[in-house]
């Protein structure tokens, strides 16, 4: 499913968009050059639920030229407290999340190219999906898919941004293949279901999704404009009002994914 509103994307961009993006271009590190890199960028967001809603909103509003959304699920009313791209109508109609998101985002910025894929990200389609991407962003809620993203991105040399939330806390980390630790370097094994905290058992406090999704969107934009990514693992606990960053070092030689490269 491919969706493009108008082919005037590049034509007239400078004139038309300079007003739209003025405050963004004034940010140190963005500028006109950064903005034109953003407009040319291709970003894949895996998962279009809570985190994906926030990430996609900021990236489309920022003017990212091509955004791919992939998610197999449909909107349900139990999603609405934290999945800010959707509304009651989407839940009643049982719309596919990526279709509802694309419809909303095309109203936000009609000249951004939003591709919506109803389906799961796995080892079988990973290369095809991220082959053209400049950056891949994690909007998933499970480690199985995150490991698939990690392994494909490290193999193809694509930067990607991990993000996860549970309860009122969350984490994020930017992975630059062969330069930084990857997800498996830091978390060699997935959490065992039923052990430790999980969204199924501990829920998700809506505002944490905004914080972690915004951190992920910021990291993606920084990579696109050529800025240095944040180092290590960001940890946020909104209940405590605490934010910290953990140094995780570089790629580990004994990592299953980085080790033999
Ligand atoms: Zn690794």
């Amino acid at each position: 499913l491919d969706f493009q509103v108008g082919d005037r994307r590049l034509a007239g961009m400078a004139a038309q968009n300079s007003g739209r993006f003025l405050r963004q271009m004034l940010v140190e590190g963005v500028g006109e050059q950064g903005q034109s890199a953003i407009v040319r960028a291709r970003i894949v967001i895996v998962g279009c639920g809570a985190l994906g809603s926030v990430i996609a909103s900021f990236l489309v509003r920022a003017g990212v030229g091509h955004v791919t959304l992939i998610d197999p699920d449909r909107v349900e009313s139990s999603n609405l407290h934290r999945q800010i791209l959707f509304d009651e109508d989407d839940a009643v109609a049982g719309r596919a999340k990526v279709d509802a998101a694309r419809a909303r985002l095309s109203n936000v910025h009609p000249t951004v190219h939003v591709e919506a894929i109803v389906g799961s990200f796995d080892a079988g389609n990973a290369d095809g999906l991220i082959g053209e991407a400049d950056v891949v962003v994690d909007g998933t809620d499970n480690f199985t898919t995150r490991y698939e993203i990690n392994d494909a991105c490290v193999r193809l040399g694509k930067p990607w941004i991990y993000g996860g939330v549970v309860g009122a806390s969350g984490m994020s980390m930017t992975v630059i293949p062969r330069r930084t630790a990857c997800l498996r370097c830091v978390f060699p094994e997935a959490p065992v279901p039923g052990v430790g905290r999980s969204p199924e058992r501990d829920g998700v406090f809506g505002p944490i999704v905004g914080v972690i999704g915004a951190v992920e969107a910021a990291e993606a934009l920084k990579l696109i404009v050529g800025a240095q990514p944040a180092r290590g693992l960001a940890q946020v606990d909104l209940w405590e009002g605490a934010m910290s960053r953990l140094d995780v070092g570089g790629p580990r030689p004994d990592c299953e994914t980085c080790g033999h490269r």
Side-chain angles (χ1 to χ4, degrees), residues 42-176:
R42 302 177 71 92
I43 297 187
V44 174
I45 303 170
V46 184
C48 192
L51 289 170
S53 282
V54 176
I55 299 160
S57 294
F58 278 120
L59 295 184
V60 167
R61 284 175 193 278
V64 171
H66 193 291
V67 174
T68 302
L69 306 171
I70 174 164
D71 194 300
D73 294 337
R74 295 182 176 279
V75 180
E76 296 174 22
S77 64
S78 64
N79 302 148
L80 299 180
H81 89 278
R82 66 191 185 284
Q83 304 193 8
I84 60 170
L85 270 181
F86 311 128
D87 61 25
E88 189 66 28
D89 284 350
D90 297 323
V92 170
R95 290 194 183 99
K97 289 182 179 179
V98 292
D99 290 336
R102 184 183 56 184
R104 194 114 321 129
L105 294 167
S106 67
N107 278 331
V108 168
H109 189 189
T111 57
V112 166
H113 191 154
V114 178
E115 191 176 351
I117 298 169
V118 182
S120 299
F121 181 97
D122 56 39
N125 61 14
D127 289 22
L129 281 166
I130 67 176
E132 303 285 306
D134 297 303
V135 181
V136 179
V137 191
D138 174 19
T140 69
D141 58 0
N142 68 86
F143 264 79
T144 308
T145 311
R146 289 184 183 119
Y147 284 140
E148 305 278 13
I149 299 170
N150 183 70
D151 296 352
C153 284
V154 172
R155 190 176 66 251
L156 298 174
K158 302 281 180 187
W160 78 279
I161 298 143
Y162 154 66
V165 295
V166 58
S169 58
M171 292 191 278
S172 178
M173 183 174 76
T174 300
V175 176
I176 312 291

Side-chain angles (χ1 to χ4, degrees), residues 150 154 180-186 250-252 254-259:
N150 183 70
V154 172
T180 71
C182 83
L183 190 70
R184 282 191 203 267
C185 292
V186 180
R252 283 172 39 168
D254 61 340
C255 168
E256 201 180 307
T257 306
C258 301

